Amino acid sequence: MQGPYRIPGALQPFIHTQTMVVRSPGRINLIGEHTDYNNGFVLPAAIDKAVYVAVDKTGGPDCRLHSVDFNETVTVPVADIKPVPGHWSTYILGVVAQLKGKGFIVPGFSLTVYGDVPLGAGLSSSAAIECATAFALNELFGFGLSRKELALLSQKAEHEYAGVQCGIMDQFASLFGKKDNVIQLDCRSLEYTYFPLELKDAVILLLDTQVKHSLASSEYNVRRGQCEAGVAMVQAKHPFVASLRDVTLAMIEECIPAEDIVYKRCRFVVEEIIRLQEGCLDLLGGDLHAFGQKMYATHDGLSREYEVSCRELDYLVTAVRARPEVTGARMMGGGFGGCTINIVKKDGVEGLVSDLTASYAVEMGKELKSYLVNIEDGTSVIKG
Ligand code: GLA
């Protein structure tokens, strides 16, 4: 199958006649943060930054993995796969382990990976590499798994090999992305609808704090635990409640003491689930102003109630708030670094980036990076 996506030049030396190449993109999320593992809704889209894997059958007993970005090769017997915490290969090995765990016989293969999703920027480079690997091995060996099964398997690889108890958003967005569309995903049922993102004269601009979210995995798991603790408190009085998706603001007031840290964590999530549903109506009705205001409200909640922001993210959101060319902005993804997502009028982008680059260097002492992103299709075979 030949799609519209090209094989990056950096991968060309690793491609032979039989090689299959799979592209799997990073993602943005317009609104609905930290709601996926609470069975709420999210509104992600796949982007024009992606991970590519080139795979071949080798017939031997090993997986031979090569990273173009790290210029490193590792060879691991398929029979003896273990997590390698902090190493790029762990995401690939995690997927192989999941396939084996499902009872598939995984023959030897070679896999070369290259990507242009900035690492640690909150654009889900890890989900992209997991989904690229899962999709490629599924095609190469004909395991017959569906996209949904591949998303769930990749999420488990992240849990078990990367140690992050993530929700389903990133893997789902990478696999199910559709050009120019956002995905409204119900993380409880995994039902989803696409709708075209019509931003009129505006574009999506990501501002990268250049703070790598190193705290993210441990604090992320702590937040997840706090949400579960909140659900348990509510369940004492409302036994039908299974997750924060079923919880109302009134139940929080009734069941969780306001001075408990769990109170503000759960309040944020319940508010965010409501905000996303209202935000979708804004987008469908073309009311970008109302949507932008909700993005700011999400940021405030993530910063003050959920406490997953950082100085640099707060700085960037505060700095754009009063600018008329910006419709809305907030931190995006797990937090503690990475990017803000901004909806900005096309003709205001250049001036905004130039002003912010200068002030960010002075105030935060770091170089600001910015990316204009387009919404693209999800995972596919680009050479097979
Ligand atoms: C990370 C996780 C996702 C999601 C976001 C926050 O990206 O991988 O599952 O929880 O954080 O919305």
Side-chain angles (χ1 to χ4, degrees):
M1 186 179 94
Q2 203 70 45
Y5 299 104
R6 299 251 168 88
I7 300 173
L11 261 190
Q12 291 293 355
F14 303 92
I15 312 261
H16 314 285
T17 336
Q18 298 297 316
T19 308
M20 174 185 287
V21 182
V22 167
R23 167 191 176 275
S24 200
R27 63 102 189 89
I28 52 171
N29 183 29
L30 287 183
I31 199 162
E33 218 64 90
H34 288 274
T35 45
D36 59 353
Y37 54 85
N38 288 303
N39 278 347
F41 297 91
V42 288
L43 196 63
I47 58 172
D48 52 357
K49 295 187 181 302
V51 166
Y52 300 81
V53 297
V55 288
D56 283 288
K57 296 178 184 172
T58 56
D62 299 329
C63 3
R64 201 168 64 236
L65 313 178
H66 179 74
S67 162
V68 175
D69 306 273
F70 293 96
N71 189 23
E72 191 187 7
T73 306
V74 293
T75 302
V76 185
V78 177
D80 186 26
I81 287 187
K82 295 183 208 62
V84 193
H87 194 262
W88 57 268
S89 63
T90 209
Y91 304 101
I92 300 166
L93 296 172
V95 167
V96 178
Q98 289 303 322
L99 288 167
K100 284 172 58 186
K102 275 188 166 288
F104 292 111
I105 310 262
V106 183
F109 65 93
S110 69
L111 181 152
T112 302
V113 57
Y114 165 79
D116 60 9
V117 187
L119 301 181
L123 303 181
S124 296
S125 54
S126 59
I129 187 171
E130 288 149 2
C131 295
T133 303
F135 198 91
L137 297 181
N138 189 46
E139 292 289 321
L140 191 68
F141 297 123
F143 295 142
L145 294 166
S146 67
R147 279 185 194 254
K148 234 175 231 180
E149 288 169 312
L150 293 174
L152 291 165
L153 180 150
S154 299
Q155 179 196 20
K156 266 190 111 188
E158 179 86 22
H159 289 183
E160 292 176 16
Y161 270 55
V164 182
Q165 298 300 312
C166 66
I168 190 67
M169 170 169 74
D170 305 347
Q171 290 79 8
F172 202 94
S174 191
L175 280 155
F176 284 84
K178 181 171 168 188
K179 189 168 173 57
D180 299 330
N181 280 253
V182 289
I183 312 168
Q184 185 187 0
L185 171 66
D186 178 337
C187 300
R188 180 165 60 189
S189 62
L190 294 189
E191 276 166 17
Y192 59 99
T193 29
Y194 293 113
F195 60 87
L197 184 63
E198 276 154 17
L199 296 179
K200 300 171 192 158
D201 55 348
V203 287
I204 293 174
L205 174 71
L206 303 180
L207 295 172
D208 187 346
T209 57
Q210 298 283 323
V211 178
K212 303 286 172 216
H213 52 181
S214 54
L215 254 180
S217 39
S218 57
E219 284 297 319
Y220 185 93
N221 295 345
V222 169
R223 294 299 177 284
R224 196 169 173 150
Q226 289 166 335
C227 292
E228 280 160 14
V231 170
M233 288 183 201
V234 176
Q235 273 168 343
K237 290 202 178 138
H238 302 277
F240 67 88
V241 157
S243 66
L244 285 181
R245 169 74 176 273
D246 309 321
V247 170
T248 61
L249 291 172
M251 289 177 190
I252 295 183
E253 296 304 326
E254 181 196 356
C255 305
I256 311 179
E259 61 282 5
D260 193 324
I261 198 165
V262 165
Y263 171 89
K264 57 179 179 177
R265 302 291 193 250
C266 293
R267 238 194 110 81
F268 165 76
V269 172
V270 171
E271 280 171 353
E272 181 73 355
I273 293 173
I274 299 169
R275 198 160 29 234
L276 179 140
Q277 295 172 84
E278 293 173 354
C280 286
L281 296 178
D282 295 340
L283 285 179
L284 289 168
D287 191 346
L288 275 184
H289 173 76
F291 186 77
Q293 293 306 306
K294 292 190 175 65
M295 291 174 79
Y296 288 124
T298 292
H299 184 81
D300 293 341
L302 288 166
S303 179
R304 296 182 205 143
E305 296 184 272
Y306 216 62
E307 296 179 285
V308 290
S309 186
C310 64
R311 201 173 142 248
E312 293 83 354
L313 287 166
D314 287 345
Y315 175 82
L316 287 175
V317 173
T318 308
V320 302
R321 238 176 234 245
R323 308 255 324 203
E325 66 273 46
V326 182
T327 310
R330 62 179 195 83
M331 57 149 280
M332 189 178 71
F336 302 103
C339 292
T340 63
I341 174 169
N342 304 260
I343 299 182
V344 185
K345 300 250 167 24
K346 250 182 228 145
D347 54 14
V349 169
E350 211 183 304
L352 181 76
V353 168
S354 127
D355 290 354
L356 286 177
T357 306
S359 69
Y360 192 71
V362 174
E363 301 291 334
M364 300 289 117
K366 290 184 186 75
E367 186 202 347
L368 182 69
K369 281 206 177 155
S370 61
Y371 322 110
L372 277 175
V373 289
N374 292 313
I375 298 182
E376 292 294 338
D377 285 334
T379 318
S380 67
V381 173
I382 60 171
K383 176 192 175 303

